[in-house]
């Protein structure tokens, strides 16, 4: 997954030749061509067997932390006295996979950047509660993306901080900024990282695939390093003191609209001494250096699957959504966006609901409600034996037999 993302970024974003990519990532030219031929990230199935490298992974990481450019052959020499008996190929593949994160983690700490070079991403715990319906309110979170060169920023708000929230929120931020920086710096957050920390972090496949489609390079910070992304931290602090006071929000959408207007009318108009002008003026200069957003935009919908219950409902992220009674007991495909829940069976869409963020809510389509009521009434009549059947005139069959005879 991460190899696919890095190969596509180097080829499409940086314009590197295939041979140069193969040398940098220490993989064959055929592998580079195979990965470039895939329009979507490959799905790898991990074999249950262990690797010969497993006992030495910590030592390899320590060597790369000391010198991110060290060659795999040198690492093998250091591992031999420790008992490593594996080949150079699996070692090269392992080093090629993790080396970029060590190189990136060394480079991101500079305090000045080129235009379009880097963006910083973090979740903002706003502390603001917005109504979500039925008298219930929930805390809103903002995914904040900043460009340190110009101090421009964008925010996309959600009601939780999962992988399913991060993907559409990040695309929303980059759409508002009008492009994609070369690198994006993230915390070691559970919505981004599946396992590991810092330079040894492994991203969720969905996140790695999205970043690959955007042609940007992820940089994952080690835990407890907030000063390493000072620009986004300062932006959050500025929003807390300049945007939130004396405001009320009627919904998550209202929060988004008010923020976007404030960003344009206030945040982008402020003069910053180090920029030598306003944020908007500096952003005009930087925007031309951002990478283009892919067309169409990457699919960020969350896909799930569940079985429809006997009551003709399927549970999705804590709420129950109705399906036609004919689909009781079947496996239902679920496609979740920030605004909707779409249900399908065997590839055909069977229901579309407005997404509810009310905990334990029940979302019932009127047509489903009528069908469920009629099905329940018919089942009750069958159980009670109260079924009206027309009397059959058997003489018709005697006459028919007589005719045939």
């Amino acid at each position: 997954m991460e190899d696919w993302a890095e190969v596509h970024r180097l080829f499409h974003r940086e314009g590197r030749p295939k041979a140069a990519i193969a040398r940098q990532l220490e993989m064959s030219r055929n592998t580079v061509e195979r990965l470039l031929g895939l329009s979507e990230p490959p799905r790898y199935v991990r074999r249950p067997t262990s690797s010969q490298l497993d006992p030495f992974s910590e030592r390899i990481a320590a060597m790369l932390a000391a010198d991110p450019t060290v060659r795999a052959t040198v690492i093998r020499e250091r591992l031999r006295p420790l008992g490593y008996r594996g080949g150079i190929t699996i070692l090269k593949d392992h080093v090629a996979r993790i080396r970029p994160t060590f190189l990136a983690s060394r480079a991101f700490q500079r305090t000045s950047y080129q235009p379009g070079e880097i963006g910083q991403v973090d979740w903002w715990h706003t502390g603001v509660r917005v109504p979500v319906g039925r008298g219930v309110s929930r805390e809103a979170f903002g995914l904040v993306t900043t460009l340190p060169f110009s101090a421009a920023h964008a925010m996309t708000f959600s009601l939780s901080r999962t992988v399913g929230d991060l993907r559409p929120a990040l695309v929303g931020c980059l759409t508002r900024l009008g492009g994609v920086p070369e690198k994006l710096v993230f915390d070691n957050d559970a919505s981004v990282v599946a396992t590991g920390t810092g330079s040894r972090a492994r991203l969720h496949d969905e996140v790695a695939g999205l970043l690959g489609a955007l042609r940007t390079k992820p940089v994952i910070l080690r835990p407890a390093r907030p000063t390493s992304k000072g620009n986004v931290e300062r932006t959050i602090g500025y929003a807390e003191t300049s945007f939130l006071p004396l405001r009320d929000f009627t919904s998550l959408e209202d929060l988004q609209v008010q923020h976007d207007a404030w960003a344009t009318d206030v945040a982008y108009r402020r003069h910053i001494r180090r920029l030598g002008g306003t944020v908007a003026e500096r952003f005009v200069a930087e925007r031309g250096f951002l990478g283009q957003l892919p067309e169409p935009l990457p699919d960020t919908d969350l896909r799930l699957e569940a079985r429809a219950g006997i009551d003709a409902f399927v549970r999705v992220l804590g709420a129950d959504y109705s399906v036609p009674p004919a689909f009781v007991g079947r496996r239902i495909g679920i496609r979740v966006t920030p605004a909707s829940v779409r249900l399908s069976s065997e590839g055909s869409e069977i229901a579309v609901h407005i997404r509810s963020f009310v905990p334990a809510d029940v979302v019932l389509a009127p047509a489903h409600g009528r069908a469920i009521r009629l099905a329940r009434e018919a089942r009750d009549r069958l159980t009670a034996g109260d079924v009206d059947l027309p009397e059959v005139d058997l003489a018709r069959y005697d006459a028919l037999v007589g005719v045939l005879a």
Side-chain angles (χ1 to χ4, degrees):
M1 180 70 72
E2 295 184 24
D3 288 344
W4 176 88
E6 182 66 4
V7 167
H8 276 260
R9 185 188 69 83
L10 291 172
F11 184 77
H12 295 288
R13 182 65 181 268
E14 297 189 6
R16 303 287 298 278
K18 297 176 183 178
I21 296 174
R23 286 194 301 271
Q24 178 176 333
L25 300 182
E26 298 185 3
M27 61 177 59
S28 71
R29 174 75 175 268
N30 289 340
T31 301
V32 172
E33 291 180 346
R34 180 178 63 82
L35 292 174
L36 286 174
L38 299 175
S39 59
E40 296 181 351
R43 297 292 179 181
Y44 296 107
V45 178
R46 185 179 298 276
R47 295 180 179 179
T49 57
S50 60
S51 168
Q52 297 182 67
L53 290 173
D54 289 349
F56 306 99
S57 59
E58 295 290 335
R59 187 61 61 92
I60 295 170
M63 294 182 197
L64 288 171
D67 181 3
T69 64
V70 64
R71 297 183 65 81
T73 52
V74 176
I75 294 177
R76 183 178 63 169
E77 292 174 6
R78 300 296 191 274
L79 294 179
R80 287 296 191 197
L82 302 177
Y84 176 66
R85 296 294 179 265
I88 187 62
T89 301
I90 61 170
L91 180 59
K92 280 186 174 181
D93 290 344
H94 177 72
V95 171
R97 186 169 60 254
I98 66 175
R99 186 195 302 277
T101 58
F102 286 90
L103 291 168
S105 62
R106 172 174 290 189
F108 82 92
Q109 298 183 27
R110 299 198 312 272
T111 56
S112 61
Y113 301 94
Q114 297 299 314
E117 180 184 6
I118 201 164
Q120 297 178 0
V121 185
D122 199 7
W123 283 107
W124 175 25
H125 297 247
T126 67
V128 171
R129 300 189 69 86
V130 296
V132 295
R134 304 190 190 280
V136 177
S137 64
R138 291 180 56 174
E139 182 181 2
F141 302 93
L143 188 74
V144 186
T145 303
T146 63
L147 302 175
F149 177 82
S150 63
H153 83 275
M155 296 188 191
T156 305
F157 294 93
S158 67
L159 294 169
S160 55
R161 298 176 294 112
T162 66
V163 176
D165 298 301
L166 179 129
R167 296 171 72 235
L170 180 60
V171 171
C173 287
L174 296 176
T175 301
R176 288 175 171 81
L177 291 171
V180 188
E182 294 177 18
K183 302 174 186 176
L184 286 173
V185 178
F186 296 90
D187 264 338
N188 206 91
D189 189 86
S191 64
V192 180
V193 176
T195 61
T197 60
S199 57
R200 300 206 304 275
R202 186 181 70 80
L203 306 184
H204 291 289
D205 286 347
E206 299 90 339
V207 176
L210 173 62
L211 296 177
L214 293 170
R215 315 290 189 239
T216 187
K217 183 180 184 64
V219 178
I220 308 300
L221 301 178
R222 288 178 294 178
R225 296 291 296 275
T227 57
S228 299
K229 49 181 179 57
N231 188 261
V232 69
E233 297 287 347
R234 287 190 293 273
T235 299
I236 290 174
Y238 174 58
E240 288 177 342
T241 58
S242 179
F243 169 60
L244 287 184
L246 303 180
R247 290 180 185 267
D248 295 312
F249 308 102
T250 59
S251 65
L252 193 70
E253 293 74 17
D254 182 40
L255 171 60
Q256 186 72 64
V257 168
Q258 289 197 45
H259 166 268
D260 291 348
W262 169 81
T264 300
D265 298 339
V266 179
Y268 275 47
R269 291 185 179 182
R270 72 191 192 279
H271 187 281
I272 298 180
R273 181 182 301 176
R274 72 171 178 85
L275 302 180
T278 65
V279 173
E281 292 168 341
R282 189 77 161 191
F283 182 51
V284 169
E286 181 170 28
R287 192 164 186 173
F289 291 88
L290 297 174
Q292 291 185 348
L293 286 161
E295 294 183 4
L297 290 173
D299 181 5
T300 60
D301 293 351
L302 177 64
R303 286 173 169 77
L304 305 168
E305 190 176 85
R307 190 176 299 278
I310 193 172
D311 56 354
F313 283 88
V314 61
R315 182 156 299 172
V316 183
L317 303 177
D320 291 341
Y321 296 85
S322 64
V323 299
F327 294 92
V328 166
R330 297 192 190 182
R331 299 295 297 180
I332 304 298
I334 304 165
R335 187 167 180 169
V336 184
T337 76
S340 67
V341 173
R342 311 181 80 91
L343 306 177
S344 63
S345 177
E346 299 180 352
S348 298
E349 191 168 81
I350 61 173
V352 180
H353 295 282
I354 296 174
R355 184 176 174 184
S356 173
F357 293 94
V358 177
D361 197 11
V362 176
V363 182
L364 175 63
H368 298 168
R370 290 191 295 271
I372 292 170
R373 185 180 67 255
L374 292 174
R376 184 182 298 119
E377 291 173 353
R379 185 172 61 248
D380 291 344
R381 288 198 303 272
L382 285 171
T383 302
D386 182 19
V387 181
D388 294 329
L389 295 176
E391 184 176 349
V392 178
D393 183 6
L394 299 178
R396 291 183 299 173
Y397 296 98
D398 295 336
L400 180 61
V401 172
V403 170
L404 293 177

